[in-house]
Amino acid sequence: MNVKLEEWIIEADIRNMQIALERGEISSEELVQMYVERIQKYDGKLRSILEINPEAIEIAKALDEERREKGSRGPLHGIPILLKDNIDTCDRMRTSAGSVALAASRAAADSHVAAKLRAAGAILLGKTNMTEWAGFMSNTIWAGYSSKGGLTLNPYGPGEFFVGGSSSGSAAAVAANLGAASIGTETSGSIICPASQNFIVGIKPTVGLISRAGIIPLAHSQDTAGPMARSVADAAILLGALTGVDERDSYTLASEGQSYQDYTPFLDQDFLKQARIGIPRYYYRNLDAERLAIMESAIATLRAEGATILDSVTLPCEQVEWRWEVMRHEFKKDLNDYLAKLDESIPVHSLQEVIAYNNAHADVALKYGQSTLIRAEETSGTLTEQIYLDAQAQNFEFARKQGIDHVLKEHQLDALLLPGDINGCDLAARAGYPLITVPAGYSEQGVTTSEGWITKGPFGVVFAGTAFSEPTLIRIAYGFEQATHHRYSPPL
């Protein structure tokens, strides 16, 4: 690899990649080759990537030729993008959700996300490791572990720092500059938490902004795909490529007239001067001293940049005892619907068969058991149980009406500022509302978790808003990013 290009690719953003491609200073084929070489050099210990697309080089060559003959399709033309291993791609790559039971499963059609990326000219570079079944395997499974790919490690402290889940590989790979950007998925914290832990930007969109068709599901009322990138600008570029109504996903009907195909006009760092941001201190209560200090520094920065800070604000839902029945019930129904459509050659076509397969291959499939799968199988799979209906109604009533919407309206806020951990994600997940996380600081000490991980290292702040408020959140996040520039490359 050319030494100069090898140095350039580290932290290169999509805009500058496009400038270099247009000037002929580099080709998409060379971009792919550089990332493949970096993967081969560094990912052996990180285990962030399950497989590289064997057709990536040929696709890049074709896109280079198209650029020469017809010009560029847009900002993603010829850009290598990684996808989480629960996103269907109709090619030679597999889609397994990290499970050995689906290790040989190839999709019969592209997911809506993959199809949109291809249409935009992106190169699907590879599939990233993830917490198996998006973490819904057992209550003891380690974040970032899958029976197919092993344990993904945080590039800032491999084997020591918490990597976050379940889009662990998508976060670690982007952090380590193994791809231009990636697509993750989130049900509750699965984009935001690993993005925060790996010093990158993650956008968890409003449920329905991006189609879930062709994505191995967890719970349809909360699932969404979203961009993970090294900058707010790159995440905004990716987001615009993924939006749009899809008849295969009825939730996307709500996005009509609410979505944009280009979110880059919202990269406005001056917006902070008029922003009103609330500080819900209740969600800071479990932070250790260092991470609380990072949050306090972020508040001070926002205030210094001209934002109006309301410290603190209270949400009526703060003392609610949340149920977890929505995910438990929806998982069985949604997964069964997905598995039933797989080719006959695949050994599992229902959750019951997944459990049986794991029992029959316990030596490789059950390192952490499958207690959560078993609990989900106990439901009817019809979504008719009253306990499920009550839990879903609770989520919408308290997370939306007596939660995020209430406090935003009461104080005329543009957003809430939350920590980049599960406390900052769960409420928005239940509401189906958007979040964006931005690197905010580095914890030198941290605390040790029950799993033995140390929570020190990168940490992000999270901006939360109401449904389809992505433009406002991008404005705020971009302003904060431009005022701080906390991100730096991991010492690989």
Side-chain angles (χ1 to χ4, degrees), residues 185-487:
T185 66
E186 175 157 331
T187 308
S188 182
S190 292
I191 289 174
I192 297 301
C193 288
S196 169
Q197 297 290 336
N198 289 271
F199 244 17
I200 64 170
V201 174
I203 298 178
K204 178 258 177 181
T206 305
V207 174
L209 186 67
I210 297 172
S211 171
R212 287 84 51 85
I215 297 178
I216 299 177
L218 197 167
H220 65 264
S221 64
Q222 296 183 201
D223 286 349
T224 182
M228 305 178 78
R230 289 182 289 273
S231 69
V232 176
D234 283 359
I237 289 170
L238 262 182
L239 182 65
L242 301 176
T243 62
V245 173
D246 177 14
E247 62 182 15
R248 295 173 298 170
D249 183 352
S250 62
Y251 275 57
T252 62
L253 296 174
S255 73
E256 191 165 9
Q258 304 260 33
S259 67
Y260 297 83
Q261 292 184 317
D262 183 3
Y263 284 85
T264 59
F266 305 113
L267 300 171
D268 175 13
Q269 67 186 93
D270 291 330
F271 181 80
L272 281 180
K273 294 181 175 65
Q274 67 187 68
R276 292 175 58 84
I277 301 171
I279 312 300
R281 288 284 174 178
Y282 176 80
Y283 297 95
Y284 294 37
R285 68 192 186 282
N286 294 324
L287 294 174
D288 58 83
E290 279 189 296
R291 295 193 174 200
L292 181 59
I294 290 171
M295 296 303 298
E296 298 295 353
S297 177
I299 293 168
T301 295
L302 292 166
R303 186 178 281 120
E305 291 297 308
T308 299
I309 303 297
L310 280 76
D311 187 2
S312 66
V313 297
T314 302
L315 285 67
C317 66
E318 288 178 354
Q319 302 303 321
V320 169
E321 293 186 12
W322 296 104
R323 302 175 182 178
W324 295 91
E325 297 296 337
V326 170
M327 287 193 287
R328 178 185 170 218
H329 284 73
E330 289 185 1
F331 180 75
K332 179 177 180 177
K333 170 68 166 61
D334 296 346
L335 185 63
N336 280 349
D337 288 348
Y338 177 89
L339 295 176
K341 299 173 184 176
L342 296 183
D343 188 83
E344 292 182 2
S345 64
I346 304 305
V348 295
H349 294 87
S350 69
L351 175 56
Q352 184 179 36
E353 291 182 1
V354 170
I355 293 169
Y357 181 95
N358 289 341
N359 284 330
H361 302 82
D363 56 331
V364 294
L366 292 180
K367 182 174 182 177
Y368 295 101
Q370 55 181 340
S371 58
T372 306
L373 296 184
I374 293 169
R375 282 267 295 152
E377 176 60 24
E378 292 170 353
T379 69
S380 71
T382 63
L383 304 183
T384 58
E385 290 97 326
Q386 194 61 46
I387 191 172
Y388 162 73
L389 298 173
D390 289 346
Q392 188 181 54
Q394 181 198 47
N395 279 359
F396 291 165
E397 173 66 25
F398 289 100
R400 294 180 181 180
K401 294 180 182 178
Q402 297 188 47
I404 293 172
D405 287 339
H406 175 93
V407 71
L408 294 181
K409 182 178 180 180
E410 181 183 21
H411 299 287
Q412 297 180 308
L413 299 173
D414 294 296
L416 300 174
L417 178 67
L418 297 163
D421 59 13
I422 192 61
N423 291 306
C425 300
D426 185 54
L427 186 65
R430 294 173 184 274
Y433 285 178
L435 299 169
I436 181 168
T437 184
V438 184
Y442 192 94
S443 169
E444 296 291 347
Q445 299 297 324
V447 295
T448 303
T449 70
S450 59
E451 296 174 330
W453 295 108
I454 301 174
T455 61
K456 69 180 180 180
F459 192 63
V461 293
V462 176
F463 299 101
T466 190
F468 302 108
S469 63
E470 284 83 358
T472 297
L473 298 185
I474 288 170
R475 288 182 176 111
I476 293 171
Y478 184 70
F480 178 79
E481 176 193 57
Q482 295 304 300
T484 56
H485 295 288
H486 282 292
R487 175 175 164 77

Side-chain angles (χ1 to χ4, degrees), residues 64-79:
D64 283 334
E65 182 68 20
E66 181 181 322
R67 185 188 296 271
R68 287 191 293 269
E69 293 184 353
K70 299 179 181 179
S72 173
R73 298 187 196 182
L76 288 178
H77 187 115
I79 303 297

